[in-house]
């Protein structure tokens, strides 16, 4: 069997180091990671970015071609009798596509508003998912916490990029779509 007392500094030092490493891996790294992400104010920025991204997909609405009404054509030349005639034949001057275009525009607006509402409602959950995905990789956080923040792994140096990459990962991207 391996004798810890033969090591330089004794077995107590080795066991203390192992205990410190385990503490950094399972507890300290997670606490430091959560506080670092909170301090970076990622959650509010992420929620705002998701809502802004949803707003950029605004639908292009069609405008119906204006058609002259009866009064502007007949009423101008025929006077009061023309206005009475226009009351009878007004439906002939209406653009039949205008109603369809208005209906289609309203459907586009409703779908856009529903998408915005959905994005705002689920932005917080998606952003928290990205934070959890980032914190799942314990080793960089354990190294960062265990070294008293003297060693900063690249995953922590590029924290924003890593968090937004986690946000678009398959785990979080399709979460509420």
């Amino acid at each position: 069997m391996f004798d810890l007392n033969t090591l330089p500094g004794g077995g107590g030092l080795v066991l203390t180091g192992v205990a410190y490493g385990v503490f950094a891996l399972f507890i300290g790294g997670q606490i430091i990671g959560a506080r670092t992400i909170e301090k970076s104010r990622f959650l509010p920025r992420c929620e705002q970015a998701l809502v802004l991204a949803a707003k950029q997909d605004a639908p292009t609405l069609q405008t119906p071609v204006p058609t002259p009404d009866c009064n502007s054509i007949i009423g101008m030349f025929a006077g009061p009798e023309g206005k009475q005639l226009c009351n009878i034949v007004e439906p002939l001057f209406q653009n039949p596509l205008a109603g369809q275009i208005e209906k289609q525009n309203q459907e586009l607006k409703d779908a856009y508003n529903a998408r915005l509402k959905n994005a705002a409602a689920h932005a917080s959950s998606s952003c928290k998912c990205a934070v959890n995905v980032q914190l799942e990789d314990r080793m960089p956080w354990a190294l960062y916490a265990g070294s008293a923040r003297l060693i900063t792994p690249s995953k922590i140096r590029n924290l924003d990029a890593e968090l937004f990459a986690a946000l678009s990962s398959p785990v979080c991207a399709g979460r509420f779509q």
Side-chain angles (χ1 to χ4, degrees), residues 5 14 25 27 36 67-69 73 77 81 118 143 151 168:
N5 290 327
V14 171
L25 183 65
I27 298 170
T36 303
T67 55
D69 64 339
I73 295 174
F77 299 111
E81 294 85 18
N118 186 34
L143 183 61
I151 299 173
S168 60

Side-chain angles (χ1 to χ4, degrees), residues 91-165:
L92 297 175
F93 286 89
Q94 292 178 353
N95 185 354
L97 295 177
Q100 292 175 349
I101 291 173
E102 287 297 323
K103 182 181 176 189
Q104 183 181 14
N105 284 345
Q106 189 60 44
E107 289 173 357
L108 287 172
K109 287 178 192 175
D110 291 343
Y112 174 71
N113 290 335
R115 196 170 57 246
L116 279 179
K117 190 182 221 182
N118 186 34
H122 298 302
S124 176
S125 297
S126 296
C127 294
K128 287 178 184 175
C129 175
V131 169
N132 289 335
V133 166
Q134 180 66 17
L135 290 176
E136 278 180 2
D137 191 5
R138 293 177 181 265
M139 286 307 289
W141 292 108
L143 183 61
Y144 187 60
S147 69
R149 300 179 186 174
L150 294 175
I151 299 173
T152 307
S154 65
K155 226 175 171 179
I156 296 171
R157 252 184 277 125
N158 304 320
L159 184 61
D160 265 0
E162 292 288 333
L163 286 167
F164 279 106

Side-chain angles (χ1 to χ4, degrees), residues 54-70:
K55 284 182 180 179
Q56 289 181 351
D57 296 333
T60 54
L61 303 177
Q62 296 178 356
T63 55
V65 176
T67 55
D69 64 339
C70 181

Side-chain angles (χ1 to χ4, degrees), residues 72-83:
S72 66
I73 295 174
I74 296 175
M76 186 169 68
F77 299 111
E81 294 85 18
K83 289 185 181 187

